[in-house]
Amino acid sequence: MLAERYSLPLLNATHLEEAKARELERFVRSQILSELTQPNYVFLFSATGLSLMQIQSDRLLNICADFYGPTVNYRRHKGGGKGQMIAKAVGLHTGQLPTVLDATAGLGGDAFVLASLGCSITMTERVVEVRALLADGLRVAREWGGRHEASLITILDRMHLLDSDAASYMQTLAPTCCPDVIYLDPMFPVRTKRTQVKKEMHVFHQLVGSDPDADQLLEIACAKAKKRVVVKRPRIAPQLADAKPSYTLEGKSNRFDVYVCG
């Protein structure tokens, strides 16, 4: 079903549960050699869920949505809580728990942080391949939480993924149904070969490109959010639509431009 829907080969690697990365790579390459046209991307379904692999001559880049791994758990328990910049940006420092629309959810990392801090999160992601990873990541995490950590289920219950793109969804919202906060993290083009990006960002740039309609998305968001729109940007990136934010929270590599509504 996934292969047909997304027009990408899907490889079943559930029999390689204990395989190391090199062994998994050999398996993938052996499978795609049978293809008449060498694919640039494949879905890989394993015991740990669905991932997307970018096939390169010298390496494979593998990305998935992770909501229970060591890195995620460390940030959840020791990441700074409501003192984190993203928490301050959406208004958690005021003592309220806003409803949040993550309009560019990606692999759900920021949405999970906010959900772990008590926010109710609606997520949209227009790239259907990434949306598939996100949906399966939520499924796998729920199964893991049911076996190992019930508190994870409580967090996942606050995360709701829609089968829609952000612009279409926001334009259908009646005033009474609008979220308190709309969160945007549009793709920012990598400008130089020397720029270092995470592997998932590398795959995203190759698969998705930039977000040419990000300025329009900000305009729609500002018309729909009840309290504020938060835009996550690289620290050196220009403001969306050249629109001056109400204020900015700036870190070492990223910043949050906050547009207060109403």
Side-chain angles (χ1 to χ4, degrees), residues 213-224:
D213 61 344
D215 290 352
Q216 179 188 8
L217 208 58
L218 174 62
E219 181 181 349
I220 300 171
C222 287
K224 292 295 184 177

Side-chain angles (χ1 to χ4, degrees), residues 181-197:
V181 178
I182 297 179
Y183 182 78
L184 302 176
D185 182 10
M187 191 69 69
F188 183 64
V190 178
R191 293 185 172 181
T192 70
K193 294 181 179 180
R194 299 174 68 180
T195 302
Q196 297 296 314
V197 295

Side-chain angles (χ1 to χ4, degrees), residues 35-104:
E35 299 283 338
L36 294 177
T37 303
Q38 296 296 299
N40 293 322
Y41 298 91
V42 298
F43 276 129
L44 185 71
F45 191 73
S46 68
T48 57
L50 186 70
S51 61
L52 180 68
M53 276 193 165
Q54 183 186 48
I55 311 297
Q56 297 182 346
S57 59
D58 59 337
R59 60 176 176 167
L60 301 182
L61 291 178
N62 188 21
I63 62 171
C64 64
D66 176 19
F67 300 111
Y68 64 89
T71 301
V72 176
N73 278 333
Y74 182 87
R75 182 174 183 183
R76 175 154 63 100
H77 294 296
K78 299 184 179 180
K82 294 182 180 181
Q84 298 175 75
M85 274 207 308
I86 187 173
K88 294 178 180 179
V90 302
L92 283 175
H93 62 292
T94 64
Q96 299 179 339
L97 291 175
T99 57
V100 180
L101 168 62
D102 187 345
T104 52

Side-chain angles (χ1 to χ4, degrees), residues 75 84-87 89-90 102-105 108-111 113-114 181-188 198 200-201 211 214 218 229-240 245 247-251 253-259:
R75 182 174 183 183
Q84 298 175 75
M85 274 207 308
I86 187 173
V90 302
D102 187 345
T104 52
D110 287 342
V113 170
L114 293 174
V181 178
I182 297 179
Y183 182 78
L184 302 176
D185 182 10
M187 191 69 69
F188 183 64
K198 295 180 180 180
E200 60 264 27
M201 288 299 101
D211 284 326
L218 174 62
V229 176
V230 177
V231 183
K232 183 179 180 181
R233 301 291 278 161
R235 188 177 56 81
I236 63 171
Q239 296 161 349
L240 286 189
Y247 62 92
T248 294
L249 300 175
E250 188 171 303
S253 57
N254 296 316
R255 71 171 197 270
F256 293 94
D257 292 341
V258 180
Y259 300 82

Side-chain angles (χ1 to χ4, degrees), residues 162-181:
L162 303 180
D163 191 13
S164 175
D165 67 276
S168 299
Y169 173 69
M170 287 193 292
Q171 289 171 336
T172 65
L173 287 174
T176 55
C177 299
C178 289
D180 296 321
V181 178

